[in-house]
Amino acid sequence: MDIPLGHRTRWTDSAWARGPAAALAGALPALAFPAPSWWWLAYAALVPWLLLVRTAATPRRAALYGWLGGAGFMLAVHHWLLPSLHVFILVLALLLGALWAPWGMLVRALLGGTPGPGRAAAALVLVPSGWLMVELVRSWEYLGGPWGLLGASQWPVPPALRLASLGGVWLLSLLIVAVNTALAGLLAVPTARRPAVAGLLVCALAGTAAWLWAPLPRPAGSVRIAVVQPGPGGTPSARLARSEALTAGLAGRGVRLVVWGESSLTQDPADHPALAARMAALSRRTGADLLVNTDAPRSDGSGISKSAVLIGPQGPTGQRYAKMRLVPFGEYIPARSVLGWATKVGKAAASDRRRGTRQVVLPVPAAGGLRIGPLVCFETAFPDMSRHLAGDGARLLVAQSSTATFQDSWAPAQHASLAALRAAETWRPMVHATLTGISAVYGPRGEPVGQRLGTDRSAAALYDVPLARGTSPYTRWGDWAVYGAVAALVAAGSVAAGRAVTSRPARGRR
């Protein structure tokens, strides 16, 4: 039986029909990230979501579609957490998805109905700026951190990495959302086609100009680094034995620094002389300093911390870095007295790790005093941390990680890809060393160096890592793209408020 047109219209306009569609549309951009890494999809992946939101019947409905689309995006980007958090990942996705509700209202206000050229042009600036505010808020470490920033999907694209050196991942996100907004206007809003074409041309010209004229880092020699990846399986003691054997095989090969992954030691060498002696013997045998990572309680009773520890021929040098930004639920539970039940439905942290207090730049004696900036695990997702290390004089960024819990998911590839972006932003090469893969090294332009060690490898890999001189524009100028987005939104809000005030007397005279 045919359904009358009016009934079909009410059904397709209902939240029950459009809500799931919004969630699916919001999930689509996740395919731009590794493992699929369809980076090109990012430039059109938001269009279905934008078209759905702009035709929402009311602002409240637009907020709902923004919320559900944001929840779909967060769930898709973090779907590999499902085995650990179980149903709690759905709760987190819904909570974080609410950040997109105001963005949905903004999209409808600017693109809904039949916008004139002025409103359509404003959308090309304000819709990306609103998206960036969502990314900025959810980047707060206590909300989960900046995993899955849209600009990070462009890690394998050299022109995009050149743009990142100017304005960081934030500039890439702005550009991607601007292109999506222009495409949505081009497809669905006849009155917006001229501004949309102009916006696409501006984005293309900006990328071309950056590729042709953006400054580049100056070469400054190289240093031989080794990454030791013991591989999956085995007890901690067996993993330590494999790491020692792989490291010993590097003797006589000119290595200056050997990097082990996160939690490579379950005892702290500073508190266990026998372990410190074993590590020092490895340093003497290879002629290199060792950067290991401890996940162990300290003897002074200060708690468990994850620390990057530098070890030389005489043992621990005394220099270390304790991880500052911990993984929510993985390394601590926010408001444990309220949310502690998460340990009963998933693999949430049974106890809270101790948080470090400051970033540290470590000189490596075996490499002629080369200054390295250590990061641990998902700290590589925070652009400000690597930028501050570069500003403090680090010439090489070193990330120690372990995604063993998520070995067969998209997580290892997503995590490794962040190193390319951080290297390009700062003009500092980056070593991403893991216990079980993927380990990778990138040069100062974000270009891959040497082989990647996949999740099926147990190996020690050598890299002649190119060093660079100079300070990238992003390191020097910081998050100017974010400040510009804030200024655009404030200016637009002020204009709208002014119009609202001046329109009241006119209505009163009528």
Side-chain angles (χ1 to χ4, degrees):
M1 182 177 68
D2 288 338
I3 299 174
L5 178 60
H7 289 280
R8 288 203 303 268
T9 302
R10 285 195 295 273
W11 167 248
T12 55
D13 284 345
S14 74
W16 292 107
R18 289 188 163 215
L24 289 173
L28 185 60
L31 296 174
F33 296 89
S37 206
W38 297 346
W39 60 266
W40 43 268
L41 182 63
Y43 294 93
L46 296 179
V47 171
W49 190 7
L50 288 165
L51 295 179
L52 190 151
V53 171
R54 71 167 289 274
T55 56
T58 64
R60 181 178 296 180
R61 194 67 64 80
L64 174 65
Y65 300 154
W67 177 22
L68 293 176
F73 177 71
M74 296 305 293
L75 186 60
V77 170
H78 298 86
H79 73 274
W80 41 270
L81 286 171
L82 188 59
S84 295
L85 296 183
H86 298 293
V87 69
F88 201 73
I89 186 63
L90 300 176
V91 176
L92 290 176
L94 287 170
L95 289 173
L96 293 172
L99 295 172
W100 274 271
W103 182 77
M105 297 175 69
L106 178 67
V107 169
R108 183 184 182 277
L110 293 169
L111 291 176
T114 307
R119 183 150 60 100
L124 295 174
V125 175
L126 298 178
V127 170
S129 297
W131 179 280
L132 202 63
M133 294 305 99
V134 176
E135 290 199 333
L136 184 66
V137 172
R138 76 178 183 86
S139 293
W140 189 38
E141 60 179 299
Y142 298 104
L143 289 180
W147 194 279
L149 299 182
L150 197 56
S153 66
Q154 304 304 295
W155 69 276
V157 186
L161 293 175
R162 193 75 59 84
L163 277 168
S165 73
L166 298 177
V169 66
W170 313 112
L171 182 59
L172 295 180
S173 288
L174 279 175
L175 180 111
I176 291 169
V177 182
V179 170
N180 277 273
T181 305
L183 288 177
L186 199 61
L187 290 172
V189 187
T191 55
R193 286 173 181 169
R194 186 173 295 177
V197 171
L200 290 173
L201 287 174
V202 168
C203 291
L205 289 173
T208 302
W211 179 252
L212 294 176
W213 295 302
L216 294 170
R218 301 187 301 276
S222 64
V223 60
R224 179 161 288 188
I225 305 292
V227 170
V228 170
Q229 180 179 294
T235 63
S237 59
R239 185 178 65 211
L240 175 58
R242 281 203 305 273
S243 298
E244 288 180 296
L246 291 169
T247 303
L250 298 169
R253 304 186 68 180
V255 181
R256 293 293 171 257
L257 176 66
V258 178
V259 184
W260 290 14
E262 179 188 13
S263 304
S264 47
L265 297 180
T266 56
Q267 294 179 323
D268 195 316
D271 300 325
H272 294 81
L275 178 59
R278 287 167 64 183
M279 297 296 101
L282 277 177
S283 175
R284 291 192 298 270
R285 183 169 180 176
T286 59
D289 290 332
L290 275 60
L291 188 71
V292 299
N293 189 276
T294 69
D295 185 6
R298 295 301 307 273
S299 60
D300 59 7
S302 57
I304 301 174
S305 63
K306 290 189 175 182
S307 300
V309 179
L310 191 64
I311 296 177
Q314 307 306 317
T317 64
Q319 301 180 85
R320 62 169 57 218
Y321 164 70
K323 185 177 183 181
M324 295 172 59
R325 296 183 181 172
L326 304 178
V327 180
F329 299 97
E331 294 170 333
Y332 79 102
I333 295 182
R336 182 177 286 273
S337 60
V338 177
L339 300 177
W341 58 270
T343 59
K344 299 178 182 179
V345 298
K347 300 177 183 177
S351 60
D352 294 346
R353 296 294 191 272
R354 182 188 178 193
R355 193 182 300 271
T357 57
R358 64 186 181 90
Q359 291 188 264
V360 178
V361 175
L362 304 177
V364 180
L370 176 72
R371 293 166 64 82
I372 65 172
L375 296 163
V376 181
C377 190
F378 95 137
E379 289 181 332
T380 60
F382 293 86
D384 66 302
M385 296 194 74
S386 54
R387 181 168 65 87
H388 289 155
L389 287 170
D392 288 342
R395 296 188 62 203
L396 173 70
L397 302 175
V398 180
Q400 297 173 298
S401 178
S402 172
T403 48
T405 305
F406 314 105
Q407 189 75 356
D408 298 319
S409 72
W410 293 1
Q414 284 187 22
H415 202 177
S417 71
L418 294 172
L421 199 60
R422 301 290 89 86
E425 287 174 338
T426 60
W427 289 358
R428 296 295 179 264
M430 188 162 189
V431 175
H432 179 81
T434 72
L435 290 181
T436 58
I438 295 171
S439 296
V441 177
Y442 297 93
R445 300 184 190 183
E447 73 278 16
V449 175
Q451 61 177 315
R452 284 160 61 97
L453 297 179
T455 54
D456 59 343
R457 297 285 304 279
S458 176
L462 287 174
Y463 301 89
D464 289 314
V465 182
L467 302 175
R469 295 189 184 91
T471 302
S472 73
Y474 177 64
T475 301
R476 181 180 295 112
W477 300 332
D479 298 326
W480 61 267
V482 174
Y483 303 142
V486 171
L489 291 169
V490 169
S494 300
V495 170
R499 287 176 177 172
V501 169
T502 56
S503 67
R504 288 174 187 168
R507 284 197 292 266
R509 286 193 296 271
R510 291 177 187 171

